[in-house]
Amino acid sequence: MSTDFTTEEIKQKYDESASKYALMERVQEFIGVRRLRRRLLRRVSGTVLEVACGTGANFPYYPDGCEITAVDVSPEMMDIAKQRAEKLGLDIDFQLMDAETLAFPDEHFDTVVSTLTVCTYPDPIAALCEMERVCREGGRVLLLEHGRSDNRLVGRFQDVREQAHAKQLGCHWNREPLELVEQAGLCPIATRRTFLGIFHEIEAK
Ligand SMILES: C[S@@+](CC[C@H](N)C(=O)[O-])C[C@H]1O[C@@H](n2cnc3c(N)ncnc32)[C@H](O)[C@@H]1O
């Protein structure tokens, strides 16, 4: 079975597993992802686009005063995100949209955020090019991504298990986020790798 899923197939997978995503968030919390989200989102300002917002795991960490638009392809994931925004008292503009064809004008946002998604986009370079396009000159694209570990053994394990892992939710865990960012024409200005080199915080312009 090919794990090169289309966006429609990814949408279906996330719709089906949205109710179980809270469990995945707990695993992420356990390995320290919450702290990484908080660190990244401190750098947000102005008008913000969050691409592939999922269930809204980033929402608690946005600084006050941001004007947030959030997009995702999965209505079920977005429903959970809407509930979370309501609980947090956040007024977010939600739109169902494919990250690879964003329906916004060029240079529309001050900050573009995407977390734990470059692994899943069917065409990650297309999605990153879109983020670059809708971010204003002088703005920031902020990414928190996971990829192939720089630990030889862990990286090898990810390679061997790539297909089995990707079969579940289309997550290609041995992609190289930094290389993809550069291939998309973004210019990383601050990067940090943690957790066996698996997680990348990337601030790009
Ligand atoms: C692993 S979840 C990450 C969610 C969230 N960003 C987070 O940090 O928890 C991946 C999300 O990407 C969304 N997604 C995948 N491909 C997409 C695309 N082409 N356009 C928009 N959303 C997409 C999925 O629906 C899902 O909500």
Side-chain angles (χ1 to χ4, degrees), residues 50-117:
E50 180 165 342
V51 185
C53 65
T55 56
N58 289 325
F59 294 171
Y61 311 114
Y62 278 104
D64 291 343
C66 296
E67 196 184 308
I68 308 167
T69 302
V71 304
D72 200 285
V73 277
S74 160
E76 298 293 329
M77 294 289 275
M78 192 172 270
D79 278 349
I80 299 172
K82 284 178 181 168
Q83 289 164 26
R84 191 181 304 222
E86 201 179 321
K87 271 191 204 146
L88 291 165
L90 294 173
D91 181 17
I92 295 179
D93 175 18
F94 287 98
Q95 300 191 36
L96 287 170
M97 201 180 286
D98 184 349
E100 296 172 19
T101 51
L102 294 173
F104 300 107
D106 296 354
E107 304 204 22
H108 195 62
F109 296 96
D110 296 316
T111 313
V112 180
V113 172
S114 191
T115 62
L116 314 185
T117 46

Side-chain angles (χ1 to χ4, degrees), residues 7 10-11 14-15 21 24-25 28 33 37 50-58 71-74 77-78 97-100 114-117 119-123 127 144 146 169 171:
T7 300
I10 296 280
K11 168 187 166 296
Y14 273 94
D15 274 347
Y21 198 75
M24 207 177 294
E25 277 186 37
Q28 291 169 8
V33 174
R37 292 185 192 278
E50 180 165 342
V51 185
C53 65
T55 56
N58 289 325
V71 304
D72 200 285
V73 277
S74 160
M77 294 289 275
M78 192 172 270
M97 201 180 286
D98 184 349
E100 296 172 19
S114 191
T115 62
L116 314 185
T117 46
C119 55
T120 305
Y121 297 131
D123 183 345
L144 170 63
H146 68 90
L169 282 174
C171 167

Side-chain angles (χ1 to χ4, degrees), residues 26-42:
R26 256 181 252 137
V27 174
Q28 291 169 8
E29 265 175 40
F30 181 72
I31 60 174
V33 174
R34 193 202 306 220
R35 192 170 38 86
L36 299 180
R37 292 185 192 278
R38 191 180 292 125
R39 270 179 57 101
L40 186 81
L41 292 166
R42 257 187 229 139

